[in-house]
Amino acid sequence: MKSPARKHYEQVTAAKAAGTATPGEQQQGEQYELHARALYEARRTLKSIKSIQAKIDKKRELLPDFMPYINGVLAEGKGAKDDVIMTLMVWCIDVGDYEKAMDIGAYAVKHKLDTPDQYERDTVSILAEEIAEGVKASLDKEGADYDGLANVMARCIAIVDDADMHDEIKAKVHKSYGYALRAAEDVEGALAQLKRALELNDKIGVKQDIQRLESAIKKQGDQAPA
């Protein structure tokens, strides 16, 4: 485990290097090289693990060692190419740290950073689709924070909604947001999001959900005092 002093040093030196890097060119510096090597070794370890859940648990164990670097780059970065931080964005999604994933994602979208080749999808598509699927799955978990998950989806949409992506992916984002709002008992908000999902993809599978929400709203209207 790294000491607080070591974490501070890593964050400060990463921030300094990121702040002086040329946008669009490869990130350089001591901390980038150290964390690139650490990430390489971590990925070798992950390849030896067969269980998906065990891989996620291992990522959750390893991620804190990379946080000072992430925070340093996000604090001062100017948009240099950085496979380390882009890989860690995906890791954050995998372990359910959606807020940190979106911190990185917003930075990446702003500076038009690509994910490493092994992911075979662009940054916006990964961020949107993986968070949408993760939030949708989280809604079914015991003790889920519905308001918190709805806020995650609201921020996700704020980051990606103006970006060019396949309508099918954007529909998933609005569907997950709609389901989160429904779980948080925002019926009208949920209805608006599910209708948007249906506009984007008429096979998204929300027609019956829309009908139920419309019926619920009508029932509430009928029961309202005159």
Side-chain angles (χ1 to χ4, degrees):
M1 183 179 294
K2 296 177 180 178
S3 68
R6 180 65 191 177
K7 291 178 181 179
H8 178 71
Y9 172 77
E10 289 184 359
Q11 181 167 333
V12 169
T13 51
K16 183 177 180 179
T20 57
T22 302
E25 294 189 5
Q26 181 60 51
Q27 180 66 55
Q28 304 291 334
E30 173 195 9
Q31 293 306 322
Y32 179 79
E33 299 299 332
L34 286 172
H35 286 83
R37 286 198 292 272
L39 185 59
Y40 174 78
E41 292 301 327
R43 290 179 63 203
R44 287 184 61 187
T45 298
L46 289 168
K47 283 183 179 179
S48 69
I49 300 173
K50 295 183 176 65
S51 164
I52 292 175
Q53 185 58 52
K55 285 179 185 287
I56 292 171
D57 291 342
K58 190 64 177 178
K59 288 176 182 178
R60 186 174 289 110
E61 175 190 325
L62 294 168
L63 263 170
D65 284 343
F66 292 96
M67 283 300 168
Y69 178 78
I70 293 173
N71 292 334
V73 172
L74 295 181
E76 301 292 340
K78 298 295 191 292
K81 293 180 181 178
D82 192 327
D83 283 357
V84 172
I85 198 169
M86 295 309 296
T87 300
L88 296 173
M89 180 191 79
V90 180
W91 282 28
C92 287
I93 297 172
D94 290 342
V95 305
D97 188 351
Y98 301 126
E99 292 299 335
K100 184 59 68 175
M102 288 189 292
D103 288 344
I104 300 171
Y107 173 82
V109 170
K110 177 182 177 181
H111 295 291
K112 297 180 173 61
L113 297 182
D114 292 326
T115 49
D117 291 341
Q118 72 261 23
Y119 291 109
E120 300 179 348
R121 285 182 292 169
D122 61 273
T123 299
V124 171
S125 296
I126 290 175
L127 188 69
E129 189 166 23
E130 296 301 324
I131 287 181
E133 291 182 352
V135 165
K136 186 170 176 288
S138 296
L139 290 169
D140 295 328
K141 294 180 180 178
E142 185 177 352
D145 177 5
Y146 299 136
D147 288 327
L149 291 169
N151 289 337
V152 167
M153 291 311 307
R155 186 182 177 197
C156 182
I157 286 177
I159 294 169
V160 308
D161 209 36
D162 291 334
D164 182 29
M165 73 178 83
H166 294 296
D167 288 341
E168 291 82 359
I169 295 176
K170 190 172 286 190
K172 284 185 179 181
V173 174
H174 287 280
K175 179 179 180 179
S176 289
Y177 189 20
Y179 282 0
L181 288 171
R182 183 180 65 183
E185 299 183 354
D186 180 349
V187 179
E188 292 185 357
L191 179 60
Q193 291 301 318
L194 295 185
K195 283 184 173 180
R196 179 58 180 148
L198 187 62
E199 288 174 1
L200 291 163
N201 179 8
D202 62 5
K203 297 180 180 178
I204 192 67
V206 297
K207 291 179 181 178
Q208 290 187 350
D209 295 306
I210 288 172
Q211 290 172 358
R212 293 189 190 101
L213 289 170
E214 288 176 335
S215 296
I217 291 172
K218 184 177 184 300
K219 185 176 180 180
Q220 288 174 358
D222 292 342
Q223 293 175 348

